Amino acid sequence: AFSAMGDDVQIRARVGLPADDSFRAWYGLVVLQTWMYMVRMRTEGSYGAQMRQALFDSLWEEVEVRIRATGITQDSLLARNVKDLLGMFYGAAVGYDEGFIGDDTVLAAALWRNLYSMSPNVEANELARMVDYVRAQIAHLQTLPPEEVLSGDFEFPTPPTFRL
């Protein structure tokens, strides 16, 4: 579901991501959705930890498939790309965690760095809407019964539209 959301050109456009840079836009959205789900799974004990690991493994399998689809098939180049993206994932997760437990400006900065690749075209009001979206999604996930979240049978509501 996270992968499909990252592929959705309309959703990318809604949040102000370029449609022409599909891997970067896909990756940014998928990392954000994965992180939000992992935040919720932290409250589910050992089974939540297993689900976080399974999701993490699934994400990296998908990343590898997508990298290969770009024409990178040499194992050493693939490993280097995966390593770079893994570093980006951990950096994003730490930034999002700091913003989530901190204030909105810290979360906005993490979104600007990780989701928007520090684009000068992203305006403060757009980042504020994404901060609200992220906080609302995590709050929404917290209201769901554990069995629903653990099953993965749920959907994130559609993100806000930018540049109204």
Side-chain angles (χ1 to χ4, degrees):
F2 300 158
S3 183
M5 189 171 192
D7 282 330
D8 190 321
V9 174
Q10 291 178 339
I11 289 178
R12 288 198 311 254
R14 286 182 69 89
V15 299
L17 292 172
D20 60 346
D21 189 8
S22 60
F23 184 83
R24 181 182 296 170
W26 173 85
Y27 186 73
L29 276 176
V30 170
V31 167
L32 179 61
Q33 300 297 86
T34 300
W35 171 79
M36 288 191 287
Y37 182 78
M38 287 179 159
V39 167
R40 173 63 172 90
M41 289 295 92
R42 291 176 190 162
T43 65
E44 296 303 329
S46 64
Y47 191 69
Q50 291 172 6
M51 289 296 290
R52 286 193 319 267
Q53 186 62 53
L55 178 60
F56 185 80
D57 294 345
S58 177
L59 170 62
W60 293 106
E61 289 172 13
E62 177 80 11
V63 165
E64 186 173 323
V65 166
R66 286 177 181 260
I67 291 172
R68 286 185 188 280
T70 67
I72 297 174
T73 57
Q74 185 179 7
D75 287 341
S76 62
L77 289 175
L78 181 66
R80 188 173 353 159
N81 277 278
V82 169
K83 181 180 176 184
D84 290 347
L85 290 169
L86 187 59
M88 291 168 62
F89 176 87
Y90 286 126
V94 168
Y96 293 151
D97 280 345
E98 288 173 342
F100 180 63
I101 61 172
D103 65 26
D104 288 351
T105 57
V106 176
L107 183 54
L111 288 164
W112 182 66
R113 278 190 317 272
N114 298 293
L115 183 61
Y116 296 105
S117 303
M118 299 186 290
S119 170
N121 300 324
V122 178
E123 297 179 15
N125 64 333
E126 295 169 334
L127 286 171
R129 279 198 289 271
M130 277 307 290
V131 166
D132 290 344
Y133 171 75
V134 167
R135 293 198 184 284
Q137 296 324 300
I138 292 173
H140 169 71
L141 286 170
Q142 296 297 344
T143 68
L144 298 177
E147 58 276 359
E148 187 175 337
V149 177
L150 292 170
S151 74
D153 190 24
F154 68 91
E155 291 184 18
F156 285 107
T158 304
T161 300
F162 280 23
R163 297 180 175 97
L164 296 174

